[in-house]
Amino acid sequence: SRFETCWPALMKDSHGVIIIFNPDLPSHLKEIEMWYSCFVQQQPLLDSQCLLVAHHKPGSAGDTENLSLAYPLNKLKLIHSNLEDDPEDVRMEFIKYFKSIITLINESREREEMSIIS
């Protein structure tokens, strides 16, 4: 991809990765494996720092029940979004995700401070 040269700058000091994809496109399902590998595994970030969002286009009547992702993507938190439905669920999931990232950052900061003190 023509943006690959920018990736190191994007990844630097990042605390979380949100991957949004269209589950109706088989090519997207292959691509998210690459994004996960580059942006999560190679950093390395914890799986809990990654959120997958399967975004269903209006009218696609996306099958939210039977989207089965292969390992290692099936270990990640997956939410379905659809702008036709009530977006409140998605909003709540985003808030939960951001809270978990903030908790991780605070915990690692405390560990660093303790290691400096001791």
Side-chain angles (χ1 to χ4, degrees), residues 5-112:
T5 49
C6 309
W7 288 1
L10 286 173
M11 291 190 243
K12 184 175 161 38
D13 299 332
S14 64
H15 295 292
V17 174
I18 298 173
I19 300 173
I20 301 173
F21 65 100
N22 180 346
D24 300 321
L25 293 180
S27 62
H28 273 206
L29 298 179
K30 279 255 89 37
E31 279 175 35
I32 55 176
E33 289 180 23
M34 180 204 61
W35 290 111
Y36 171 75
S37 168
C38 293
F39 281 84
V40 181
Q41 289 179 310
Q42 290 175 30
Q43 287 229 64
L45 292 177
L46 301 170
D47 285 339
S48 60
Q49 288 168 279
C50 182
L51 178 65
L52 290 181
V53 181
H55 184 67
H56 300 268
K57 286 189 166 169
S60 68
D63 187 354
T64 59
E65 295 308 309
N66 294 320
L67 176 61
S68 58
L69 298 172
Y71 180 87
L73 297 173
N74 60 3
K75 302 182 300 174
L76 304 174
K77 173 81 177 153
L78 169 69
I79 63 173
H80 292 270
S81 73
N82 181 340
L83 298 179
E84 290 176 316
D85 294 344
D86 180 14
E88 190 56 29
D89 285 351
V90 175
R91 205 173 72 86
M92 292 310 294
E93 289 293 350
F94 267 100
I95 290 169
K96 267 199 301 205
Y97 169 71
F98 287 125
K99 280 183 174 168
S100 72
I101 296 292
I102 290 165
T103 302
L104 271 171
I105 294 168
N106 288 338
E107 283 172 358
S108 70
R109 192 170 293 150
E110 281 169 20
R111 273 198 303 274
E112 277 172 29

